[in-house]
Amino acid sequence: MLNKPIYFDHAATTPLDKKVLEKMLPYFTENFGNANSQHVFGRNAVKGVDEARDSIAKIIGAKPGEIYFTSGGTEADNWALRGVAHAFKDKGRKIIISPIEHAAMISTAKALEKEGFIIEYMKVDGEGFVDLDHLKSIVDDDTILVACMMANNEVGTIEPIKEIAKIAHEKGALAFSDAVQAAGVLKIDVKDLGVDLMSMSSHKIYGPKGVGLLYIKTGVRIESIITGGHQERTKRGGTTNVPGVIGFAEAFRIADENLEENAKYVSSLRDRFIKRVLAEVPFVKLNGPVDGAKRLPANADFSFKYIEGESILFSLDLAGIAVSSGSACSSGSLEPSHVLLALGLPDELAHGSIRFSFGKHNTVEEVDYCVEEIKTAVDRLRKMSPLFKAEGEINYV
Ligand SMILES: *Cc1c(COP(=O)(O)O)cnc(C)c1O
């Protein structure tokens, strides 16, 4: 047992970077002003928020006026989907999304379905990649929005967003991408990608929780979902989370500055981990892309045959290792992962999956310790599994 717990759940959230905290602190105390106030306190807050907006816009190739701060990725996803649906309901009723979207998207799409919108799902292959030919065949003149995440939070698949946006535009539909897992990890240029809307969140990139953004390309029509004061050019009411926004921008700046270096380091941990698990643990399946360059550098997702994901999670937790079964948002429910089902995994394997997501503070020693603990846990759990006794043990070496 190591002397401090190991954190391999960075796709769920990340620790706040100390440099980010330092940058935020004055905005809780001296610069506490409401960014909407017409006095020196307000002006100080606005100055910070403006700088944050400029900095983020520059990194993603947007104009500052195209950045709208929100309470996080979930709100930005909700806004994109609901806001576009409601603004364009007279033009068309169809919305196409990928079947492996985050719960923030899937639940919102289901709610819109109840309002009378038609939701269609793109097909994905066994590694989670969108089938572009299938997408082409379902986008039509009734389609108002095509939405696909830039990178999947569970299996790490990096999607061909540029091609997806092009297909949407050919039929006059808008293109939205949830870039929560991709931002700060992959280089993003909204103009090059051609997306009309894009969401991001701060707490997945060593920034504070409760702040995110929606990029809305100039001229794109969208209805507000949070109405109130004149904040965010009257499109999103509510007093601006000034320290949050400042921290978000600083976290994104640091992530962008160290993008290649971080990706290289984190993917070296991931590759070592994947290689060892595949070689040393029997009856295990790597979910998502086999090609490391096509999956998020931090992500490794495995299904352990004959064992419930939850039981491995609990064993690893006892050994001081924090991971998640499926995605953090669906764990706790005993439903199999909707992502793994969409990838065509049988129920049983979709139940037995564990996501390991590495971060910049993790070490090789932690990775190696984790592999040993997995071997111990898997071996013990399989010995207790009736299913394993029935069929697995025969081939077990
Ligand atoms: C975490 C996550 C979200 C939700 O963002 P919050 O800021 O936690 O609301 C949305 N989409 C993806 C892909 C995520 O990983």
Side-chain angles (χ1 to χ4, degrees), residues 11 71-75 77 102 104 149 151 153 178 180-181 201 203-204 211:
S71 66
T74 300
E75 185 195 322
D77 285 355
H102 187 269
M149 66 204 327
N153 48 304
D178 171 338
V180 172
Q181 292 286 335
S201 174
H203 75 100
K204 306 278 172 86
V211 58

Side-chain angles (χ1 to χ4, degrees), residues 118-371:
I118 299 155
I119 308 295
E120 277 196 42
Y121 295 89
M122 311 168 192
K123 270 193 193 146
V124 294
D125 69 12
E127 294 187 323
F129 294 107
V130 167
D131 178 340
L132 295 173
D133 289 326
H134 173 256
L135 176 61
K136 261 183 217 150
S137 74
I138 58 171
V139 186
D140 58 16
D141 297 335
D142 193 41
T143 309
I144 52 182
L145 181 69
V146 174
C148 182
M149 66 204 327
M150 206 165 289
N152 181 264
N153 48 304
E154 212 170 305
V155 294
T157 313
I158 299 167
E159 300 291 355
I161 298 303
K162 195 170 174 172
E163 287 72 22
I164 292 170
K166 210 167 145 209
I167 293 169
H169 292 157
E170 275 161 13
K171 290 284 182 186
L174 292 174
F176 165 65
S177 188
D178 171 338
V180 172
Q181 292 286 335
V185 177
L186 309 173
K187 198 78 205 156
I188 293 176
D189 183 318
V190 286
K191 293 287 168 322
D192 178 56
L193 288 170
V195 290
D196 304 289
L197 305 118
M198 187 181 86
S199 60
M200 285 173 47
S201 174
S202 150
H203 75 100
K204 306 278 172 86
I205 53 168
Y206 305 92
K209 292 172 182 58
V211 58
L213 67 81
L214 184 63
Y215 157 78
I216 308 173
K217 192 174 150 184
T218 307
V220 167
R221 209 152 32 100
I222 187 163
E223 279 194 11
S224 296
I225 58 168
I226 303 205
T227 48
H230 295 290
Q231 294 89 356
E232 300 302 285
R233 281 87 73 216
T234 73
K235 276 201 168 74
R236 197 273 186 187
T239 302
T240 307
N241 174 1
V242 178
V245 161
I246 305 281
F248 181 13
E250 181 66 358
F252 194 37
R253 185 190 68 74
I254 294 170
D256 184 65
E257 248 177 41
N258 303 287
L259 198 123
E260 273 143 47
E261 194 186 315
N262 270 342
K264 206 169 146 201
Y265 177 66
V266 171
S267 63
S268 74
L269 295 178
R270 175 201 64 184
D271 292 344
R272 180 187 181 93
F273 180 71
I274 290 179
K275 205 169 151 196
R276 283 203 60 190
V277 170
L278 289 177
E280 298 171 44
V281 185
F283 304 119
V284 60
K285 181 185 182 309
L286 175 68
N287 299 315
V290 170
D291 179 352
K294 291 182 178 169
R295 76 188 297 146
L296 287 173
N299 173 285
D301 189 89
F302 287 104
S303 288
F304 297 88
K305 214 176 166 192
Y306 310 113
I307 318 175
E308 288 280 333
E310 308 278 314
S311 13
I312 306 179
L313 186 143
F314 294 140
S315 304
L316 292 181
D317 187 31
L318 282 176
I321 304 166
V323 297
S324 60
S325 65
S327 73
C329 318
S330 58
S331 61
S333 73
L334 286 172
E335 294 286 300
S337 143
H338 72 281
V339 173
L340 297 181
L341 292 180
L343 266 58
L345 262 75
D347 246 44
E348 173 218 341
L349 282 181
H351 266 295
S353 80
I354 293 282
R355 177 186 69 192
F356 303 85
S357 44
F358 305 103
K360 60 183 180 184
H361 305 301
N362 289 137
T363 63
V364 171
E365 289 71 32
E366 290 177 330
V367 166
D368 287 345
Y369 170 76
C370 182
V371 175

Side-chain angles (χ1 to χ4, degrees), residues 43-63:
R43 281 193 296 277
N44 283 342
V46 164
K47 187 165 173 287
V49 171
D50 282 349
E51 280 168 12
R53 200 187 304 277
D54 289 352
S55 162
I56 293 176
K58 201 162 172 215
I59 297 172
I60 62 169
K63 289 179 247 164

